[in-house]
Amino acid sequence: MTSHDAYGPRAAKALVPIRAHADVLTHDLCAMFHAALLAHAGRDDVLTQLDAKDFWASQESHPLRQLLDADLKHQTLQQSAQDMGRTLAYLGVENAWLVETYDTLITELRRHPLIQSLTPAQRDPLRDVLVSRFMASLSGIVAGQRQVVYGQQRVMGAVTRLIETCTTLNDFARALLDTLLTLEGMVAGTFARPDKNGTLQYEIVAGATVERHASTFADYQSLPNIYGDNPLGCGPSGCAWRSGKPQCSVMITREPSLSPWHQIARELGYISHATIPIQDANREPRAILSLYHAAPGYFSTTDFSDILDRLCTVLSAAVARLSQDAPPVHYSIRANYRERLTQGALIMLYQPIVDLNTGRLAKVEALARLRDPDGTHVSPTHFLPAFGARELRQMFSLGLRQAVADLKNWDHRGLHTSVSVNLPAQALSDPEYLAIARAVLHDAAMEPNRITFELLETDETGLRETTVRQMVNRWRRLGVRLAQDDLGSGYSSLLRMERLAVDEVKIDQEFVQTVARSPRKALQFIHHLTRLVHDIGLSVVIEGVESRGLMEAATILGADAAQGYAISQPITADALRSWYRDFDLVVAPERPTTALGAYATLLLRGTLLDLARSRPTLLGHIICEPCTIAAYIENGTAARSAALKDSYAKLVAVIRAGADPQRYEKAHNRLEQLLRMEIRREEHTAAPAAPGMDKPHGTAFLGPP
C-alpha cells in the first residue's frame, strides 16, 4: 500500500470493521505505547517520574489517537506527530526507544483480539493502513525531536555570542532571557540578585508572565531567599545559591519542597523549572537565573543537563567580564528609570574643578541626575544599574548636548570655562559614542579643546590594548582633551596612560577619603602618584576633596587641581554663575593653616630626611632648616593643644642644638603623632554637605561607575 492509500476513501473503507470498537483499540494502543517507553527508561529518567495521567496530560495532540480516524489526512498526522516528538524530546525520550516501541506496537496490534477477530479480507487492508500510518507518525515524531535539538543548539550558539556583543550585565541578562525564551514551550525567565536581607529581587523578567511574575510572588509573600535558616531559602533558589549547582524540578506542583510556590505555579502556568546560580571567577554566587517551562521535566533530561552546565560556564564568563557591584534594582523600578530618561528627566549638575596654583576655576565636571517629580535628584548609583547599552548611549547624547548648551550659555553671560564629561568604558568598543560626540560638537560649533572626556580606569571592555589605543586616537582626532578617571581603582600602569596620550589624571576619591583615619597612607599616595604622573608630563586632579585641610595638603604635595565638597557640591548651571562670583580660594603652601597642611609639610620634610640619611652633611642642613609649620602651630585653633605647642618647641630646640638625627627623629615622630590626632579632630568637624543635596559619594557619571 502506498502512503496515499493510507488516507482517503480506500483507507476509510478499510477502517469500517473496527469503527464500533475504535475507542477501545485507541485506549489499548496508548497504554501499550506508554508501557513500552517506560520499559526503556531508567530510574532517574524524567519519564519514570511521571505517572500515566501526567504523561498523557503533556500530550495535547497524539497521533495514536488519530490512527483510527477515517477522515485523517497525512498533513494532520504529520503535524500532530511532530508536536508529540517535541514533547517527547522535552521528556528525554530517545529515538532508539521510539523505534523499538513502535516495533512493539505493530507486533501487539497484530495480536490484538479485535484484529484477530476479523476475517483475512478485513484484516489485511486494515493492517496495511495502520502500519503505514504508524510509520508516518514515527517519522513525524523523530522530525519533531530533531527540531527541539536543533533549536537548543541554535539558542546556545546565540547565547555564547552574547558575551562578545553585550557591553553591560543588564544587556546581557536581558538578551540572555530573550534568547532562551525563543525555545518552544518556555514560559518565563528571571534574573535576580539578593538584597541585604537575602531576599531575591527580580531585576529582569521576560516572557508571557512578565507583568505578573514578581507581583504574584510578592502577593503570596513567597519571594525566594538565599539563606538556609529562612523557610523561603529552602527552595531551589536558595539551594542553587549555596551549592553552586543548578536545581531542577520535573513538576513544580508535585514536589513537597516547593509547596510555598505550588499555587503560584498553577496561576502562572509554570510546570517545570530550572534555577541556575551565576558565579564569579572565584566561584562566589552573584545572581540567580530562573527558567520556567510549560512541559514537565524539560530541564531534567540528560541533554538539557549538558545545556545547563554550558549555561553555567557562559554565565560565569559574562559575570567576570561585565560584573557590576551595584545593589539589585527591581524590574519595575528599572522600567521607571528608563521611561523617565526618555521623557526628559535627565538634568546635568556641575561640580567645579579648581586650579590649586591660582585658586581660579579650571573647569567643571558634568554630572548626570534624574529629576524626581518632587524636584529632588536621583543619583546614578541608583539608576545606572537599570540601564543597558541603548540607555547609556541615549544618556551620553542627552547629557553631552545639555553640557555643551550650558557651556555656550555661560559664555554669553561672561563665564568662560571648560567642561569634563565622563566617557563610559563601552565607548572604547562602541563607535556610536564617537559619532554622537562628533555630531554634538559640530551642531553646537563648540571648540573641541574645551571638552574633556574622562576615561574610567577599567578593563571591562575586554579589548586588546592596541584596539583601545586606536579608538582613543580617534577620539583625540576630534580635538578634545582626555583624562584618566579614578586612577588607582584599576591599578593600570602610568606607562599605559602615556601610550594612550591622555592629558590629565584624576586620583580616585576612594583613596583620599581615608585621610582622617590614615593620613600618612593617603598623603603618601597623593605625593608619590603626583610625582609619577608629573614625570610623564601629565597634570593631576584630586577628586573627593571634602575639607580645606585636604585641599591645602594636595596643594603642598604638588597636585594641580582639586574638586569636591570643600569647593562646591554639584550645582545647577544657573547656580554656577553665583558660585563663581562669590568663590575665593587662597592657599599659601609656605604657611599651612590646617593640620593636614602641616602634616603634608612634615611628610615632605621626612622624605628629604630619608633621602639624605647616607649623606651626613646634607642631613645636617635639612635638620637645621627652619620648619614651615610654625604658622599652623601658632594659629588660634591649634594653640588650644598645649601638647602640640610643647612638641613643636622641643623640635625647634633640637634643631637649634645642632644636627642630632636620633633626637630629631624622636621629636619629629612625636609631633607627627600629635598632628594625626589634630587631623582627626579637624576632619571630623569639617562642614557637612548642604541638606537635600546628593551625598559626597554620589558622584554621577555619563557611563557606568
Side-chain angles (χ1 to χ4, degrees):
M1 173 178 284
T2 66
S3 60
H4 177 73
D5 293 332
Y7 313 92
R10 291 182 62 182
K13 181 179 179 181
L15 291 166
V16 168
I18 60 167
R19 182 179 301 167
H21 307 287
D23 290 344
V24 174
L25 187 55
T26 297
H27 176 272
D28 292 347
L29 284 173
C30 289
M32 287 188 288
F33 178 81
H34 184 228
L37 282 180
L38 277 177
H40 294 285
R43 184 180 60 182
D44 296 328
D45 286 321
V46 172
L47 201 61
T48 307
Q49 302 178 51
L50 299 178
D51 57 27
K53 181 180 178 181
D54 291 332
F55 173 78
W56 290 113
S58 69
Q59 311 297 319
E60 293 184 2
S61 59
H62 195 307
L64 292 181
R65 292 170 175 159
Q66 301 172 325
L67 289 179
L68 305 181
D69 182 359
D71 297 323
L72 179 65
K73 299 184 184 311
H74 181 263
Q75 289 182 338
T76 303
L77 179 63
Q78 281 288 301
Q79 184 60 55
S80 64
Q82 289 182 21
D83 291 343
M84 183 180 182
R86 288 191 288 270
T87 304
L88 291 177
Y90 301 160
L91 299 178
V93 173
E94 298 179 10
N95 286 347
W97 302 4
L98 286 166
V99 172
E100 293 184 24
T101 294
Y102 265 75
D103 184 59
T104 300
L105 278 180
I106 293 173
T107 300
E108 293 299 323
L109 180 64
R110 288 170 176 164
R111 298 173 180 172
H112 196 280
L114 285 175
I115 303 299
Q116 291 297 318
S117 67
L118 301 176
T119 66
Q122 294 173 321
R123 189 167 54 239
D124 291 344
L126 175 63
R127 181 199 60 196
D128 291 342
V129 168
L130 292 181
V131 169
S132 180
R133 289 185 176 187
F134 267 128
M135 300 312 296
S137 68
L138 177 60
S139 174
I141 289 173
V142 172
Q145 287 184 304
R146 284 200 301 266
Q147 290 171 10
V148 171
V149 173
Y150 293 158
Q152 292 173 346
Q153 292 174 345
R154 173 186 54 79
V155 165
M156 286 308 300
V159 166
T160 303
R161 290 190 294 273
L162 290 177
I163 300 180
E164 302 172 359
T165 57
C166 293
T167 56
T168 71
L169 191 58
N170 286 329
D171 282 345
F172 176 80
R174 192 182 307 168
L176 173 67
L177 288 176
D178 288 343
T179 302
L180 291 173
L181 285 172
T182 62
L183 291 169
E184 186 173 349
M186 202 75 80
V187 181
T190 65
F191 175 86
R193 290 186 297 153
D195 60 19
K196 62 182 180 181
N197 298 316
T199 299
L200 286 176
Q201 299 297 320
Y202 295 108
E203 297 190 88
I204 299 175
V205 180
T209 61
V210 64
E211 297 299 331
R212 295 192 294 143
H213 182 96
S215 60
T216 303
F217 272 71
D219 290 343
Y220 281 93
Q221 298 183 341
S222 298
L223 287 171
N225 197 280
I226 63 171
Y227 298 125
D229 57 357
N230 187 309
L232 295 176
C234 299
S237 295
C239 292
W241 184 275
R242 296 189 298 274
S243 69
K245 298 178 180 179
Q247 304 292 310
C248 302
S249 64
V250 174
M251 290 189 70
I252 297 173
T253 56
R254 297 296 176 89
E255 297 195 24
S257 64
L258 301 179
S259 58
W261 300 281
H262 284 180
Q263 186 58 34
I264 296 173
R266 293 188 186 98
E267 288 189 19
L268 298 178
Y270 299 163
I271 305 300
S272 61
H273 100 288
T275 299
I276 306 165
I278 303 176
Q279 299 178 313
D280 60 19
N282 298 319
R283 302 189 68 80
E284 292 294 327
R286 298 293 298 275
I288 289 289
L289 185 79
S290 296
L291 301 172
Y292 302 88
H293 200 273
Y298 180 78
F299 304 103
S300 302
T301 65
T302 301
D303 287 344
F304 210 90
S305 177
D306 294 338
I307 291 176
L308 290 177
D309 290 340
R310 289 170 59 193
L311 271 177
C312 287
T313 302
V314 169
L315 291 169
S316 294
V319 166
R321 179 172 176 263
L322 306 170
S323 177
Q324 68 178 32
D325 296 320
V329 181
H330 191 274
Y331 82 95
S332 62
I333 299 175
R334 288 172 175 266
N336 177 264
Y337 285 149
R338 292 195 294 268
E339 182 180 5
R340 283 159 62 185
L341 176 66
T342 61
Q343 292 180 347
L346 183 71
I347 181 174
M348 303 306 292
L349 301 183
Y350 300 93
Q351 190 168 39
I353 300 174
V354 172
D355 187 322
L356 293 176
N357 296 311
T358 65
R360 299 173 65 93
L361 177 66
K363 58 183 170 183
V364 296
E365 181 177 358
L367 305 171
R369 301 289 189 266
L370 283 181
R371 188 187 295 106
D372 255 340
D374 62 3
T376 58
H377 298 144
V378 180
S379 166
T381 55
H382 297 295
F383 64 75
L384 279 182
F387 288 173
R390 182 175 61 84
E391 291 84 15
L392 290 173
R393 283 194 298 268
Q394 183 180 12
M395 184 171 64
F396 177 77
S397 177
L398 294 172
L400 182 59
R401 287 189 182 280
Q402 190 176 138
V404 169
D406 287 335
L407 197 60
K408 294 182 75 70
N409 186 47
W410 291 327
D411 285 345
H412 293 317
R413 296 171 178 265
L415 171 56
H416 300 284
T417 188
S418 301
V419 66
S420 285
V421 176
N422 283 273
L423 195 63
Q426 292 90 329
L428 297 183
S429 59
D430 186 349
E432 286 194 40
Y433 282 91
L434 184 65
I436 290 169
R438 182 181 291 111
V440 171
L441 294 176
H442 177 270
D443 293 346
M446 173 58 63
E447 305 97 309
N449 62 0
R450 296 180 64 187
I451 307 296
T452 299
F453 287 110
E454 298 185 3
L455 300 165
L456 286 171
E457 184 186 31
T458 176
D459 292 325
E460 289 179 353
T461 58
L463 298 175
R464 293 179 302 175
E465 186 172 298
T466 53
T467 304
V468 173
R469 191 185 309 134
Q470 290 171 356
M471 199 65 179
V472 168
N473 288 338
R474 293 178 64 186
W475 280 91
R476 291 201 66 85
R477 285 196 289 272
L478 283 182
V480 299
R481 291 173 55 83
L482 297 176
Q484 176 73 66
D485 196 11
D486 288 353
L487 181 67
S489 60
Y491 305 103
S492 67
S493 68
L494 295 173
L495 183 59
R496 174 177 177 267
M497 285 184 290
E498 184 181 28
R499 288 199 298 265
L500 294 182
V502 298
D503 300 290
E504 67 183 47
V505 171
K506 301 186 77 171
I507 294 180
D508 185 14
Q509 60 179 328
E510 175 185 344
F511 290 88
V512 302
Q513 287 174 348
T514 62
V515 70
R517 186 172 64 254
S518 306
R520 170 176 279 274
K521 181 179 179 180
L523 295 190
Q524 281 184 331
F525 182 87
I526 293 174
H527 175 50
H528 294 310
L529 193 53
T530 298
R531 288 181 57 193
L532 287 171
V533 172
H534 283 170
D535 284 345
I536 60 175
L538 308 179
S539 59
V540 176
V541 179
I542 309 294
E543 293 184 301
V545 177
E546 297 180 12
S547 69
R548 181 175 179 83
L550 182 54
M551 185 158 50
E552 187 174 70
T555 306
I556 291 169
L557 296 175
D560 301 288
Q563 73 178 101
Y565 274 55
I567 299 169
S568 173
Q569 61 197 8
I571 53 181
T572 64
D574 290 338
L576 182 69
R577 292 180 61 247
S578 299
W579 173 89
Y580 179 73
R581 184 178 58 248
D582 300 333
F583 179 73
D584 182 33
L585 173 66
V586 178
V587 177
E590 69 282 357
R591 293 183 59 82
T593 60
T594 66
L596 265 177
Y599 194 86
T601 298
L602 206 62
L603 186 67
L604 289 179
R605 190 179 182 88
T607 301
L608 288 175
L609 288 172
D610 290 338
L611 293 173
R613 286 188 186 279
S614 60
R615 303 173 65 180
T617 302
L618 178 59
L619 182 63
H621 284 305
I622 294 173
I623 291 177
C624 294
E625 184 72 22
C627 189
T628 60
I629 67 171
Y632 171 75
I633 299 296
E634 295 166 0
N635 75 25
T637 302
R640 290 195 294 268
S641 173
L644 187 62
K645 289 188 67 175
D646 180 63
S647 178
Y648 176 68
K650 288 180 179 179
L651 179 63
V652 172
V654 169
I655 292 173
R656 290 175 178 171
D660 185 336
Q662 291 184 344
R663 289 182 62 208
Y664 180 85
E665 185 172 5
K666 181 178 179 181
H668 181 279
N669 290 344
R670 175 56 179 163
L671 179 60
E672 183 178 339
Q673 179 185 14
L674 293 172
L675 278 174
R676 286 199 297 268
M677 295 172 59
E678 198 66 24
I679 287 169
R680 284 192 287 272
R681 186 190 66 78
E682 285 187 9
E683 292 299 305
H684 288 151
T685 57
M693 295 300 291
D694 297 315
K695 294 181 180 179
H697 305 303
T699 304
F701 295 88
L702 284 185

